[in-house]
Amino acid sequence: MPPSPAAALRALHRPGDPLLLPNAWDAASARAVAAAGFPAVATSSAAVAETLGHGDGEATPVGEMLAAVARMVSAVAVPVTADLERGYGLRPTELVDRLQATGAAGLNLEDSDPRTGALHDVTEQADLLAAVRAAAGPELVLNARIDVFLRGAGPEDGFDEAVLRARRYLAAGADCVYPIFLTDPTVLGRFVAAVGGPVNALLRPGAPPVAELARLGVARISLGAGVYAATRARAGAMLTALRDGTDPFAS
């Protein structure tokens, strides 16, 4: 019997040989990711929200977000993991039930308030993750985002707090921890060594390249809204060229 989508996704988290996730935002982009040979698809909440006419920060009605996830799941034959911000205010059991109804194999949950940016208490967040794990069992891969660096802490200033959160989240049942915006290679390497579990890194301008992230022991690499932003920028450049009477297909 083949492994479940969650088991297949979990097995792709290999420290030093990371899972690459160029995040998608609709069925077409999900198909493009799979067609390029990537073994899994992740969604970007910011990109999905914008394509649906909403802002990021849980401004998208949860039903619309989950419907978008379901369309991406239906479009590809590889596991899909969904960026669900902090859960859209749903109780953990309802969150899990509704996400699993889409066919998704994983989810990403962050530890700051999407609306205010305030970090949640580490125990409160660990309790949320534990409740999601209890509701899902092994059939969802849980990626716990750590927003210490996103919310303004420097690499050194935020290191101890981020490690504390990572350890608590892994103990609560997270499969992977995601210190988003931690890009300093020295500090990221120390973080990987300190947390004792799979680590997700964000690939963005100024971050170490994929080969360096692999050398640091990262197990998962996300692009966030990066592919969507590049696609939108390319479309904007084509439209500007067309308006100005130049070749919109020129490089």
Side-chain angles (χ1 to χ4, degrees), residues 3-15 17-19 79 141 175 219:
S4 69
L9 177 61
R10 190 173 286 113
L12 293 169
H13 291 66
R14 297 182 293 263
D17 181 20
L19 169 63
V141 175
D175 293 286

Side-chain angles (χ1 to χ4, degrees), residues 4-92:
S4 69
L9 177 61
R10 190 173 286 113
L12 293 169
H13 291 66
R14 297 182 293 263
D17 181 20
L19 169 63
L20 299 178
L21 290 170
N23 305 61
W25 55 93
D26 61 9
S29 58
R31 289 192 193 100
V33 170
F38 294 96
V41 171
T43 76
S44 161
S45 67
V48 173
E50 186 163 320
T51 61
L52 294 175
H54 304 287
D56 198 17
E58 295 192 349
T60 305
V62 65
E64 290 189 39
M65 180 60 69
L66 291 170
V69 171
R71 288 191 292 272
M72 287 184 263
V73 172
S74 295
V76 297
V78 299
V80 174
T81 179
D83 179 1
L84 295 185
E85 304 204 50
R86 198 171 180 265
Y88 296 86
L90 299 179
R91 293 176 294 105

Side-chain angles (χ1 to χ4, degrees), residues 36-157:
F38 294 96
V41 171
T43 76
S44 161
S45 67
V48 173
E50 186 163 320
T51 61
L52 294 175
H54 304 287
D56 198 17
E58 295 192 349
T60 305
V62 65
E64 290 189 39
M65 180 60 69
L66 291 170
V69 171
R71 288 191 292 272
M72 287 184 263
V73 172
S74 295
V76 297
V78 299
V80 174
T81 179
D83 179 1
L84 295 185
E85 304 204 50
R86 198 171 180 265
Y88 296 86
L90 299 179
R91 293 176 294 105
T93 52
E94 183 182 1
L95 176 65
V96 168
D97 287 348
R98 293 181 68 175
L99 179 61
Q100 289 184 320
T102 71
L107 76 159
N108 188 90
L109 290 174
E110 58 203 49
D111 65 355
S112 63
D113 188 309
R115 295 169 178 81
T116 68
L119 282 166
H120 285 275
D121 176 77
V122 63
T123 297
E124 178 185 354
Q125 185 69 10
D127 288 346
L128 171 63
L129 296 171
V132 169
R133 172 56 66 215
E139 292 309 313
L140 283 175
V141 175
L142 180 52
N143 190 36
R145 202 178 87 179
I146 298 166
D147 288 358
V148 170
F149 305 105
L150 174 65
R151 300 308 179 189
E156 292 292 349
D157 293 342

